[in-house]
Amino acid sequence: MKRRDFLTAASGVAGGTAAGAATAGAQETTTSAGDTTTASGNETMTTTANGTAEGTQSGGGAAGGGPTQEVTVGPGGDLVFEPAELTIAPGTTVRWVWDSDNHNVVRSSQPEGADWDGTEGGDSETYNTGHEYSHTFTVEGTYEYYCTPHRSAGMVGSITVQEGGGGGGGGGAAAEQDPEHMGVPIQAHFVGIATILMIIVSLVYTFFVVKYGESPHTEGGN
């Protein structure tokens, strides 16, 4: 490649990278129904085909740069929160995502000094599939909540905020990580298999050499 061609190609790559970085802050997606979704920073706004704008509801704690945990509301129509129990570290944002209709998230108890109110609109306001609500928890302690229409059916949940928490439901143990997602090449898992195959091939080769590979000079009248 000539020097002039190399410089031209390098300039094109740099220009493409800069353009991609400029558009990363605000991305626009158009669905088959004509709806347009624009994401900018921590705010998500959906504009439907008829021009109606729908924003993702956010709780009292502003979402920062901390981790995020997701709770499914009414997964598959079941009257539960999934997971029902969650242990997180302070500064974690919990996002509730509605997977069925007529549910809400109403606070029943929280630690002293906390400012979580649950979904807006009071106990009577419910939301349907696709709705999202999030809140960032900073005060340590246990938070309990429920769904008003289905509380008697056992649709309740709890969140424990403590240092070192943040693995998922229950005791807060860290979830098992996929080695590929941790940066370990998946090919590394085949090293053991390759070693076993090499041993088998070596044994088979040795067997045939010992059985059929005798030199004709070893046999004679002596």
Side-chain angles (χ1 to χ4, degrees):
M1 178 184 290
K2 296 182 179 180
R3 183 179 180 181
R4 179 180 299 175
D5 295 338
F6 173 79
L7 293 177
T8 301
S11 300
V13 172
T17 303
T23 57
Q27 298 179 350
E28 194 171 273
T29 302
T30 302
T31 64
S32 58
D35 297 350
T36 300
T37 300
T38 302
S40 177
N42 292 326
E43 181 181 359
T44 300
M45 184 68 66
T46 300
T47 303
T48 60
N50 58 12
T52 303
E54 299 177 355
T56 299
Q57 185 178 350
S58 179
T68 299
Q69 295 282 353
E70 185 172 297
V71 175
T72 304
V73 180
D78 295 337
L79 304 182
V80 296
F81 295 102
E82 188 177 275
E85 298 179 358
L86 192 64
T87 301
I88 59 176
T92 300
T93 298
V94 177
R95 180 172 65 246
W96 285 266
V97 179
W98 271 244
D99 195 50
S100 55
D101 298 343
N102 301 320
H103 302 297
N104 57 11
V105 175
V106 178
R107 181 200 70 207
S108 56
S109 67
Q110 66 177 340
E112 183 177 356
D115 60 351
W116 182 45
D117 295 327
T119 51
E120 298 177 1
D123 291 2
S124 61
E125 185 73 19
T126 60
Y127 304 91
N128 297 328
T129 303
H131 182 75
E132 293 186 6
Y133 162 73
S134 61
H135 179 81
T136 301
F137 294 85
T138 57
V139 179
E140 295 188 32
T142 300
Y143 301 74
E144 297 181 339
Y145 60 94
Y146 60 89
C147 170
T148 301
H150 309 113
R151 186 178 188 180
S152 60
M155 192 170 180
V156 297
S158 67
I159 297 172
T160 301
V161 181
Q162 64 182 30
E163 289 293 344
E176 184 177 355
Q177 298 293 327
D178 187 341
E180 186 174 6
H181 295 163
M182 296 170 63
V184 179
I186 193 65
Q187 289 82 357
H189 299 283
F190 296 124
V191 173
I193 298 176
T195 302
I196 295 175
L197 290 176
M198 291 175 63
I199 294 175
I200 295 175
V201 170
S202 298
L203 291 175
V204 173
Y205 176 80
T206 303
F207 170 79
F208 277 95
V209 168
V210 171
K211 185 173 181 62
Y212 303 107
E214 296 181 355
S215 174
H217 300 291
T218 59
E219 299 178 359
N222 296 331

